[in-house]
Amino acid sequence: MDSYYAGWLSLIPPILAITLALLTKEVVFSLFLGIFAGALIYALGVGLHPVAGTIGTVFDVITGSADLNIIVFVCLLGALVSVITLSGGSKAYGKWASTKLKNGKLSLAAAAVLGIVIFIDDCFNCLTVGTVMKPLTDKYKISRAKLAYIIDCTAAPICMIAPISSWAAAVGSNLEATGYYDNGFQVFLSTIPLNLYAILSLIMIFIIIFTGKDYGPMAAAEKAAAHFQADDSEDSPMHLADVSDDGTVADMLLPIISLIIFAVIAMLYTGGFFTAGSSYHNLTAAFGNCATSQSLVWASFGALLVAMVMYIPRRLITFGEYMNGITEGFKSMVPACLILFLAWGIGAVCRDLLLTPEFVSHQLARSNIPAFLLPALIFIIAAFLSFSTGTAWGTFGILIPIIAPAAYAIAPQLLTVTLSATLAGSVFGDNCSPISDTTILSSAGSGCNHIEHVSTQLPYAMTVAACCIVGYLVSGLTGANVALTLGISIILLILMIFTAHAFYARRAGAASDMPDR
């Protein structure tokens, strides 16, 4: 289809999608209506029939913009998550950990490390870490709210900076779709060092674990947990009756390790590393030239075969249970696939049909916005949208096609850090939004009341977000100097944690000294 320069009208699809998402909290409906509005503007602009032309354009855009390799990878990943759970590997890890981890700090550190290791998918992270670590943290009277916080902050944040994950594949696909990049994976790698929210969140986890400098509602939850035993009667998010009792730690780790190894090998292969006469025998060049989504499909399929060979001959699960697990895994990924389809669709409407990026970049280039403010401003916009809609994928799917050309026009030297800020803001909003799937699954996986999880985590998330804004201002002023940006952000984070803890401790002490009325 030919493009149509719609001017100000080209802003209607993204604005409509964002506004409706804020009002209705229904991301799928909002994205679809945004696509429909864009298709209607296009149909009227080029003289198509207002009904038939619009409907035809809607589905042509959705199907034409989809990356089916990503869809297959996400579904296979869901299948792998399901069969690993059925094998009993996660349960075995919990039993093993209880013999090795002798205090509360070590159990929380183990939960954080496990969350980091399971970087392939955030939903897998939430369910697995919660199920494995909850008995151990209960033993040491650690609040379920603290466990939920650890789970949540090693889910989306770690997935956003892990090169091999469904998130990395989705970001790379959206970056390539802008038309500014030949290889989205290489660009994604360049955004990792300045993805401040993901990096600072992980640092904060370990500071809180090893110093015990809790503050706000989390400190109150920890104090209450020290005096009261957690209620083990709360429902688990998993139906554990069908989970094998004979699984081992290796049954959880080996399929995940094989997925990582297969993905690396497949990326090198598709990047030309093993091809005779190729100019990509350098590792960096091969990764930059690889077909990421295709490689991830091969890797996830290989990991499923490894799981089958490990589980079925040992009768951990039957072949029927294995196939049923794959089916259930596919079903669990339908919402993610639907959001991906629609995010790609609205991106294609804005980019290919209505030329929104060209219009926005032209307008921003003529504006007087100081270039150094761009990363911090983009972080705030992405954070607000992601928090309000509860989805990071939908947020960066909407913003990347607009942000990339705008940043390139205003400050090309800040293009990478601006993309980093887009991804960081998307993760922040998703991380603390009460309607985010990872927030909900973190509550469920830890057995924590959902509202308690949101209220105890929010002050911590806001602390990190404040440091991110300062960091992105520094980055804008220094031309995206990574060392200065990270250094100042980390120092500020440490100061804020200790200051907030001291303030809360004084306030709590003063309150306890007040006479009863």
Side-chain angles (χ1 to χ4, degrees), residues 130-201:
T131 302
V132 168
M133 299 306 303
K134 183 168 61 176
L136 196 60
T137 53
D138 283 352
K139 175 182 177 181
Y140 294 115
K141 295 188 176 182
I142 294 168
S143 69
R144 298 279 180 87
K146 175 69 77 67
L147 178 60
Y149 163 67
I150 299 296
I151 292 172
D152 213 347
C153 286
T154 53
I158 192 64
C159 287
M160 186 58 91
I161 58 175
I164 305 172
S165 72
S166 55
W167 290 57
V171 172
S173 177
N174 277 284
L175 287 168
E176 288 180 8
T178 65
Y180 281 79
Y181 312 103
D182 294 328
N183 192 289
F185 177 73
Q186 189 173 20
V187 179
F188 170 76
L189 291 180
S190 70
T191 68
I192 293 175
L194 286 173
N195 194 321
L196 296 182
Y197 186 79
I199 294 171
L200 295 183
S201 292

Side-chain angles (χ1 to χ4, degrees), residues 3 14 39 42 60 75 85 89 124 143-144 147 166 173 193 195 225 316 329 334 336 375 438 469 488 505 517:
S3 300
Y42 176 79
D60 285 345
C75 291
T85 301
F124 183 24
S143 69
R144 298 279 180 87
L147 178 60
S166 55
S173 177
N195 194 321
L316 292 180
V334 169
T438 51
I469 293 173
I488 292 174
R517 296 184 182 276

Side-chain angles (χ1 to χ4, degrees), residues 328-504:
E328 293 302 315
F330 270 56
K331 289 179 182 178
S332 71
M333 289 300 178
V334 169
C337 292
L338 182 56
I339 290 175
L340 264 181
F341 267 116
L342 297 178
W344 287 329
I346 197 167
V349 165
C350 295
R351 181 188 65 252
D352 300 330
L353 297 189
L354 304 181
L355 302 178
T356 307
E358 283 79 357
F359 172 74
V360 173
S361 62
H362 178 67
Q363 295 299 318
L364 288 176
R366 295 172 54 191
S367 68
N368 295 320
I369 298 175
F372 79 91
L373 290 177
L374 192 61
L377 181 62
I378 294 304
F379 174 81
I380 293 171
I381 292 172
F384 178 72
L385 176 59
S386 185
F387 178 83
S388 302
T389 60
T391 171
W393 286 30
T395 297
F396 63 66
I398 291 173
L399 291 181
I400 284 177
I402 298 174
I403 296 304
Y408 186 82
I410 295 175
Q413 75 278 12
L414 298 178
L415 178 57
T416 299
V417 69
T418 302
L419 290 172
S420 297
T422 304
L423 302 180
S426 299
V427 174
F428 163 59
D430 180 89
N431 189 216
C432 58
S433 173
I435 59 173
S436 164
D437 56 351
T438 51
T439 306
I440 294 169
L441 287 175
S442 297
S443 302
S446 62
C448 177
N449 176 273
H450 183 57
I451 299 303
E452 182 184 12
H453 170 46
V454 173
S455 63
T456 52
Q457 177 171 270
L458 190 57
Y460 287 7
M462 293 298 293
T463 298
V464 176
C467 296
C468 290
I469 293 173
V470 173
Y472 285 126
L473 289 173
V474 172
S475 186
L477 290 168
T478 61
N481 186 297
V482 176
L484 277 176
T485 301
L486 282 176
I488 292 174
S489 300
I490 292 171
I491 291 172
L492 180 60
L493 176 66
I494 295 171
L495 291 174
M496 289 188 69
I497 291 173
F498 279 77
T499 301
H501 171 76
F503 174 79
Y504 180 81

